[in-house]
């Protein structure tokens, strides 16, 4: 049976990948968090165990169980079996994996900022999949908004950046202001 991945960040934005058979889904018992990856000197969006939280995302097929390209895209993360933690519409249930930055690789970095061009892509994906309520839920089920945010919109650093509409940009900015996030 074809395996699937559960994406909870940029993989929710279908414009950043071409994986087939994508469906909205939820990961039960996990919460998003911005974490510092010492190995890559960068802040990554990851997930941590939290029995009180369920997060939305997207599952998609990994044809021929060829994980190599996805593992390369998700460099800095470990691929974890999701077990039965993913709620999805598929029958029978496929094997599903998700990615997380290993605790052993989290730590101090010199680049302690969230890249806004990356966050923009994530929010655009959540808006398309789950609407404005889904965007709010993304922000509300993600920790680490005290991490400074680098405004790189004029010269995007994220390799899969996308152009946002004026309304999409305003939505991102609204939620960052709501959470008193510091954009530099």
């Amino acid at each position: 049976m074809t395996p699937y991945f559960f994406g909870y960040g940029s993989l929710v934005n279908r414009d950043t990948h071409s994986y087939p058979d994508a469906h909205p889904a939820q990961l039960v018992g996990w919460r998003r968090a911005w974490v510092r990856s010492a190995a890559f000197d960068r802040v990554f969006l990851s997930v941590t165990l939290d029995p009180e939280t369920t997060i939305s995302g997207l599952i998609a097929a990994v044809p021929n169980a060829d994980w190599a390209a996805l593992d390369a895209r998700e460099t800095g993360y470990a691929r974890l079996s999701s077990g039965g933690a993913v709620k999805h519409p598929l029958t029978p249930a496929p094997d599903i994996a998700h990615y997380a930055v290993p605790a052993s690789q989290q730590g101090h970095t010199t680049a302690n900022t969230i890249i806004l061009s990356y966050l923009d892509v994530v929010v655009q994906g959540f808006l398309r999949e789950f609407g404005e309520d889904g965007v709010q839920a993304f922000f509300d089920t993600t920790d680490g908004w005290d991490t400074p945010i680098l405004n790189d919109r004029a010269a995007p650093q994220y390799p899969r950046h996308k152009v946002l509409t004026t309304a999409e940009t305003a939505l991102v900015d609204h939620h960052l202001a709501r959470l008193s996030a510091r954009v530099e």
Side-chain angles (χ1 to χ4, degrees):
M1 175 177 263
T2 299
Y4 282 66
F5 68 81
F6 176 85
Y8 54 84
S10 63
L11 287 167
V12 174
N13 191 325
R14 296 177 196 231
D15 288 346
T16 71
H17 63 84
S18 58
Y19 288 94
D21 198 24
H23 304 273
Q26 293 181 307
L27 181 62
V28 178
W30 293 81
R31 183 174 183 85
R32 281 182 219 84
W34 293 104
V35 300
R36 288 157 176 82
S37 172
F40 290 88
D41 198 32
R42 176 152 302 267
V43 174
F44 283 65
L45 185 60
S46 190
V47 287
T48 58
L49 286 167
D50 181 346
E52 303 300 316
T53 304
T54 296
I55 60 173
S56 293
L58 198 72
I59 59 169
V62 181
N64 303 314
D66 181 7
W67 290 97
L70 191 55
D71 287 348
R73 172 188 167 135
E74 301 300 312
T75 296
Y77 293 86
R79 181 169 21 107
L80 309 173
S81 171
S82 302
V86 178
K87 292 181 183 180
H88 56 80
L90 304 180
T91 311
D95 288 333
I96 301 174
H98 63 276
Y99 290 84
V101 177
S104 63
Q105 293 181 14
Q106 295 179 26
H108 180 74
T109 67
T110 56
N112 287 320
T113 56
I114 297 165
I115 299 172
L116 187 54
S117 60
Y118 172 76
L119 177 58
D120 285 344
V121 164
V122 173
V123 173
Q124 184 182 60
F126 272 86
L127 181 62
R128 291 176 180 173
E129 295 295 330
F130 304 105
E132 289 189 20
D133 288 344
V135 170
Q136 179 162 339
F138 163 78
F139 280 96
D140 292 346
T141 59
T142 303
D143 294 330
W145 294 113
D146 55 335
T147 305
I149 299 168
L150 174 66
N151 185 349
D152 66 332
R153 284 177 175 155
Q157 294 182 18
Y158 183 59
R160 289 175 287 281
H161 71 87
K162 302 295 173 196
V163 176
L164 271 61
T165 66
T166 301
E168 290 169 335
T169 300
L171 185 63
V172 174
D173 294 347
H174 162 75
H175 284 286
L176 291 176
R178 178 177 68 85
L179 296 170
S180 300
R182 190 173 80 224
V183 179
E184 301 176 339

